[in-house]
Amino acid sequence: KNNPLGILLDLCCEDCLASWDSSAALLNKSTYIDVVLSGRPFCAAAREVKQVMDKQEDAIKILNGATRILQAIALTFNAGLAGNWVAFSVGHFPGSNGREFCFTILMGACVAFVVSLPFVLLFDTVADTILYCVELREQHAQLLKANSVKHQHSPCLPCLNRGLWTSPLDVVSKAFSMT
């Protein structure tokens, strides 16, 4: 803010940033999650998600950032493990030179990275969905508490209305009782 270049960039980009905040920032994964959970139209879901995200607690924001770190760790670990396995396997074959050896290890690590990527992205989507539903549940509980209502079904929170917020043992017992 005290930097002249920063002030100049702020003046030049102010309209772009305002446009981003009002429209493009609404396009995120949580908007799609809200569309799936609530059945709202996309624009209405985007506005709802923006309100939910603005009220989100710091702990949820930190957990959301932690999933990114876990993704990086999982991808790196998987690629490293595959690279080591390839190095151990190829090291026993006679006649391999250093360049072929390094290339083979690198290719093994790259293949493992690419194969594990969809699983890590699925983990991210599931984690984001759970965190979004937890935040919705917390905001719904605060709203009910403020209105002194013990329990009320919310048409915009189907994950609450379906009884999904029980203990893990209840979920497992329900799953086995359906079969």
Side-chain angles (χ1 to χ4, degrees):
K1 300 221 177 218
N2 296 330
N3 185 346
L5 181 61
I7 294 170
L8 180 65
L9 286 174
D10 188 39
L11 290 173
C12 294
C13 299
E14 186 175 2
D15 292 334
C16 293
L17 292 174
S19 174
W20 171 260
D21 284 341
S22 66
S23 60
L26 300 175
L27 303 174
N28 61 38
K29 192 186 321 180
S30 295
T31 301
Y32 294 107
I33 291 169
D34 192 75
V35 167
V36 170
L37 290 176
S38 67
R40 280 189 271 258
F42 185 81
C43 291
R47 285 188 294 275
E48 177 68 22
V49 166
K50 180 145 177 48
Q51 290 176 355
V52 169
M53 295 296 182
D54 289 344
K55 295 177 186 175
Q56 213 171 38
E57 294 180 15
D58 290 337
I60 299 290
K61 292 176 184 176
I62 291 169
L63 286 173
N64 197 8
T67 59
R68 302 277 188 253
I69 294 169
L70 289 174
Q71 282 178 313
I73 290 170
L75 288 170
T76 305
F77 178 76
N78 196 26
L81 189 64
N84 284 326
W85 182 76
V86 169
F88 178 74
S89 299
V90 173
H92 293 318
F93 293 114
S96 62
N97 63 21
R99 178 176 276 173
E100 291 172 356
F101 184 70
C102 289
F103 180 76
T104 306
I105 292 172
L106 183 62
M107 285 297 103
C110 288
V111 167
F113 184 89
V114 169
V115 167
S116 64
L117 189 60
F119 296 101
V120 174
L121 292 176
L122 179 66
F123 166 75
D124 181 49
T125 302
V126 170
D128 284 346
T129 304
I130 290 171
L131 291 174
Y132 184 72
C133 281
V134 165
E135 185 62 30
L136 282 177
R137 183 182 70 170
E138 291 299 319
Q139 289 182 11
H140 184 69
Q142 289 174 359
L143 180 67
L144 292 177
K145 188 176 182 181
N147 293 332
S148 300
V149 177
K150 287 191 177 186
H151 180 70
Q152 176 182 354
H153 287 289
S154 172
C156 64
L157 301 173
C159 53
L160 296 176
N161 297 339
R162 293 183 189 144
L164 296 177
W165 299 104
T166 56
S167 72
L169 293 175
D170 292 340
V171 173
V172 171
S173 65
K174 286 180 186 178
F176 283 113
S177 67
M178 290 180 178
T179 59

